[in-house]
């Protein structure tokens, strides 16, 4: 004699995915050959932001090993792991050996927006995960700025260049995917990162946007 409960459920289907294309980085690596004007002028950036969308497939590496996201070994590098730092946790390394570790542990099988900024204005490095500040290190002095485009276009001898998914040797690859990779010649703020749709798209003509890898199509072993 009791009336049955009634519940109305609305189901929607998203026909157009937010993330359409990504580069699979497991066992792979990418590096740009800088050409033209702008970042290719081999100028050291006094203010910088690295950012990318990263999907971790797994963290199947031995303790002390590394998964590289982006940057230059021994200069300004975003990675997870390293001796004393869990492979699930982000680390930013500078040219004079300073490390900044995040306590937040990444989970496998999900996307994260990762950003690291540096500014000579306050000598601070900040790390953001999904638009929220996770680390702030004062007096992170990087002498003469960060050069993402050295005079060499690829690694020769002991010199290092900018890579996606690689640093030092091939065992430090990223197990997962990357897309929306960007370099800015300014330190983006938390408000900038949290702007509507910023994780997924920015205007290519944005002030201070020096490099933008927006993967748009792919097939076999190639991604545009």
């Amino acid at each position: 004699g009791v009336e049955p409960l009634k519940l109305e459920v609305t189901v929607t289907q998203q026909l157009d995915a937010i993330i359409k294309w990504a580069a699979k980085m497991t066992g792979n690596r990418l590096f740009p050959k800088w050409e033209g004007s702008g970042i290719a002028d081999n100028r050291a950036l006094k203010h910088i932001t690295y950012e990318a969308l990263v999907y971790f497939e797994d963290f199947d590496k031995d303790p002390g090993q590394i998964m590289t996201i982006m940057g230059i070994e021994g200069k300004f590098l975003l990675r997870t792991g390293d001796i004393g730092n869990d492979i699930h946790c982000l680390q930013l390394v500078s040219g004079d050996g300073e490390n900044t570790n995040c306590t937040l542990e990444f989970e496998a099988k999900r996307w994260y927006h990762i950003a690291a900024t540096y500014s000579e204005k306050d000598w601070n490095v900040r790390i953001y995960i999904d638009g929220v500040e996770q680390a702030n290190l004062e007096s992170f002095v990087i002498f003469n700025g960060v050069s993402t485009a050295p005079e060499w276009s690829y690694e020769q001898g002991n010199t290092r260049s900018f890579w996606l998914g690689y640093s030092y040797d091939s065992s430090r690859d990223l197990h997962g995917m990357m897309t929306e990779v960007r370099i800015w010649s300014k330190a983006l703020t938390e408000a900038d990162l949290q702007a509507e749709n910023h994780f997924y798209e920015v205007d290519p003509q944005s002030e201070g946007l020096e490099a933008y890898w927006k993967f748009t199509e792919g097939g076999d072993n190639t991604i545009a």
Side-chain angles (χ1 to χ4, degrees), residues 2-3 24 27 29 52 55 59 73 85 95 154 174 187 196:
V2 178
E3 287 291 320
K24 186 167 185 177
R29 50 186 168 176
Y55 181 92
F59 296 90
E73 174 78 17
N85 186 46
Y154 57 92
L174 173 75
E196 185 176 5

Side-chain angles (χ1 to χ4, degrees), residues 58-63 65-68 87 170-175:
D58 61 65
F59 296 90
D60 296 341
K61 294 204 175 190
D62 294 332
Q65 289 195 307
I66 288 169
M67 292 205 299
T68 308
I87 192 66
S170 58
S171 70
R172 298 182 176 186
D173 62 327
L174 173 75
H175 289 189

Side-chain angles (χ1 to χ4, degrees), residues 115-168:
T117 69
Y118 167 75
S119 175
E120 280 195 5
K121 182 179 180 180
D122 56 8
W123 306 104
N124 272 28
V125 154
R126 293 176 172 86
I127 296 177
Y128 303 88
I129 299 175
D130 290 338
V132 178
E133 185 175 306
Q134 298 290 337
N136 183 332
L137 181 63
E138 296 181 359
S139 302
F140 200 99
V141 179
I142 302 175
F143 297 104
N144 301 318
V146 179
S147 177
T148 56
E151 59 273 18
W152 58 89
S153 60
Y154 57 92
E155 299 200 353
Q156 302 176 19
N158 292 323
T159 60
R160 300 295 178 194
S161 62
F162 178 91
W163 288 90
L164 304 179
Y166 172 83
S167 60
Y168 188 69

Side-chain angles (χ1 to χ4, degrees), residues 52-117:
L53 280 171
V54 181
Y55 181 92
F56 296 98
E57 288 279 2
D58 61 65
F59 296 90
D60 296 341
K61 294 204 175 190
D62 294 332
Q65 289 195 307
I66 288 169
M67 292 205 299
T68 308
I69 297 172
M70 61 193 294
I72 301 178
E73 174 78 17
K75 301 292 183 183
F76 196 74
L77 181 70
L78 264 177
R79 63 191 188 187
T80 72
D82 195 21
I83 297 172
N85 186 46
D86 191 277
I87 192 66
H88 299 81
C89 297
L90 192 66
Q91 181 184 75
L92 179 69
V93 187
S94 80
D96 54 7
E98 288 187 277
N99 296 347
T100 304
N101 298 331
C102 289
T103 57
L104 186 149
E105 293 191 3
F106 292 124
E107 300 175 7
K109 310 297 184 184
R110 62 153 289 186
W111 285 97
Y112 291 91
H113 181 271
I114 298 171
T117 69

